[in-house]
Structures are given as structure tokens and as C-alpha cells.
Amino acid sequence: MKINRKYISAFVALLLSVPVLAQVPAPAPKQSKPVLLKGATLHVGNGTVVENAAVGFDKGKITYAGPQNGANLSGYEVVDVTGQHIYPGLIQPNSALGLNEVESVRATIDWNEVGEFNPNVRSLIAYNTDSDIIPTIRANGVLMTQVTPVGGTISGSSSIVQLDAWNWEDAVLKADEGIHLNWPYMLVETGNSRNDARLKRMAEQREQTLTELGALLRDAAVYKAGKQDNENLKLASMTGLFDGSKKLYIHANYGKEIVEGVTFAKKYGVKDIVVVGARDAVVVADFLKANNVSVIYSGVHALPSRAEEDVDMPYKTPYLLYKAGVPFALDYDLAIHGIRNLPFIAGTAAAYGLDKEQALAAVSLNTARILGIDKQTGSVEVGKDATLVVSTGDLLDMRTNDVTQAFIQGRKIDLNNKQKYLYEKFENKYKAQEKVDGTVPTTMSN
């Protein structure tokens, strides 16, 4: 069969036309010399704001964070960021980032495992550092995430990673730090459903699931207490729940489900509990506070749960949790592509009661505390990782958020991404068209 050289040439030209900038940028090398950013407004992440500040870091760790006039510039490469703002790198909890690339292509989906009880499943080893989505998220200041499995009753173990690495071994900040439990939905009977056979079967299945869950927790506690001849991976992965070295993340929204789930876990000796989702957290705030339970609230950009609630109830829930004294963090729980909007979730909460710095803490230091990494990151303080962002405007405001520099463990990362490339590509196209015929397309003129 004779192959036309014209088609070969066209194919080669097509391959060569694929732009390098559209690919995932290579991870930055380790910090090679001390760096000091000076002149910016520093938002520490713990509520403190320092005007005309300086932040120095060396070997990936922050060595100075405070007023510019107190900084020792000797030996530092000084970068003038006067008029800009320095923030801690934001943290997205409860995310399938890196586990799912294209939802319509099964081979790119690695966030779910078959079966109902999979505590031994590790999301970390499935995390894809080459995901095209990661660079688009970093561009808005989100530099860390909790990689979380989904599905079943017990989905598996989550891990925390930073978003600039060659592989999951390089990315990990804290491995297998918690197990995720999807609390079975409660069934509410109505007048028309009391004799519904399907509802009865669902109720029986729920009771069976809770029985099996209780047996698994009881067996895991026994396994931890005794010396076993044979290793049981499922039980071994759960032993940390009983000494507080692992957290139990209970995914539940309805108030009664939250109370039931927390009470159930405590009954079996689970030490450290976090409720994820928690749309009704305000309703059971006293219970959560009394039981020392933290919340990862997922519903800021959502509709109210009930018709009788205020239309802005999801927006002001973070403020109400703050007033009630419940430790909480915020997450973006919609499509993973939208995680870049995490700072704007906090911005909405700031518009409905939270102080701006409190809102920042809800996506930085508060999250770090709940995930157990606050000694390492979450705020711009001496001794912590130099994981921070510089923005010309307010990081939490979508109108002025403009990240000009970002550092992960002192490494200045590449902020290019596919969306920026496409924007520049078509912007140049329209500008060229304007020069030729003097017209400006509607999309550009607007």
C-alpha cells in the first residue's frame, strides 16, 4: 500500500504545532538561594495583617515574616513586591483532584473502588501529578489539596499533597491521614410512603450497613489491642482511628445524620472526628462544639437546604459557625475544575458576616489545623514551609485576584496553564484580525 507523502507531512506538521505552553509545566527545582519579598501587605493567615512587610525564606522554610524595617537583607535575593499582597497558599480539602481527568473516559477515573468497605484503599498512590487541571488551580492561589476517594460506605484513606511535583512520592505532605465514611442516608417516611415496599427494603439495607460498619469498627479496635499472627489490611488501616493518629471524616449533611454518625463513631472509640459537607452544621452547632468535632463546610455556593430557610443561608453559615465556636474550614465541593474558585468561596463568606482575615483562615490555617498540618503550613510564619502566593489585588475577590508569583516550599512555580495559553492564543488572533480589517469581534469589544 502506497502512502501519500503529503499526508505524512501534514501529520508531522500537526504534531509539531502542539504548543509546549499548553502542557503541564515541569516542577520547579529546589530553592537554591535565600529570597526576600519586600514592600507588600502581608496577610499571615491567623488574622494578622502587616503593612509594608517583608517575607524571607531559605531552603524552603520561612526565616522572616514581619515589618520590612525589621528584616535583615544581607545574603538575600530581594524581590520588590511593593503594592501587592502576600498570602499563605490555599488548601482545598475533600478533593478528587488528580484522581479524575476526563469524566467520559473511564481509564482516567481512579477515585472509586468496588465494594462498600474499603478503608485500606489509598488515594495517594493513584494521584496524577500531570493532571491538566492542577496548573489552572495554582494560578488562583490554591497550592495544596487533600486527595480523597469517593464511593461506598468507607471510601478509603485520604492524603495531603502539594501541587508541584514529578510524582506522588514528591508531592505528599501527609500520607494516609484519615479515613472517609459516607454516612448512610436517613429515610423519612411520609403519609404516602408508609406501606412502600421499596422504602422498607431500603430501611432494612441501611440497618444492615450500620450493623456491618459497627462490626468492622469493633474488629479494628480488637485488632489494634492484640498481637495478630496474620496481617489484615482492612483492620490495620483503621487502627489509627482509636489513638487519634488518623481522623475519621464523616460525610453527612442532614442534622440528624450528623448527630447519629458522630455518636456512632464515639461509641466505638474513634478519637478524632471531622464532619464533611455539613449543610446542617448550624442546626447542631452545640452538639458539634460539645463533642469537639470540626467541620469542613461544603455548601457556600449552594441553594438553601429547605424552602423555609433564608435565601442567603448557605452564604452566612460560615459566619454562624464562627459565632457558635465550631472549628471549620471551607471547600469547593463541585466539579474539580472549579477548585480554582476556592478563594471566591471564602470571599462570599466574607461578604456575609466573616471578617476578611477570618475568611482567609477558613481556606488556609483553619484547614491546616483540621487536617493536622498546621505546624508545617497554613500561615506565613517563621519555621513553616514557604508555600505562599503574591497577588496584585485581593486574593478572595474574583475581580482583583491576580496571582503574579507563587512559591511551594520555597520553589517559585510556573503559573502558566492551558487556559492562559488559549486566552493568549485567541487574543492574538483577534488583535491580528483587527489590524487587517479594522474590526473588533464582539467577544473582544465587550
Side-chain angles (χ1 to χ4, degrees), residues 368-385:
R369 284 172 177 159
I370 290 173
L371 300 182
I373 55 172
D374 55 300
K375 292 183 179 179
Q376 180 179 358
T377 190
S379 59
V380 185
E381 297 180 89
V382 173
K384 292 190 176 183
D385 287 351

Side-chain angles (χ1 to χ4, degrees), residues 86-101:
I86 299 175
Y87 296 89
L90 306 188
I91 309 168
Q92 162 70 21
N94 183 37
S95 163
L97 181 65
L99 303 181
N100 177 24
E101 195 69 11

Side-chain angles (χ1 to χ4, degrees), residues 344-361:
F344 312 137
I345 292 285
T348 299
Y352 283 83
L354 278 185
D355 174 85
K356 210 57 170 290
E357 301 308 312
Q358 294 166 354
L360 172 63

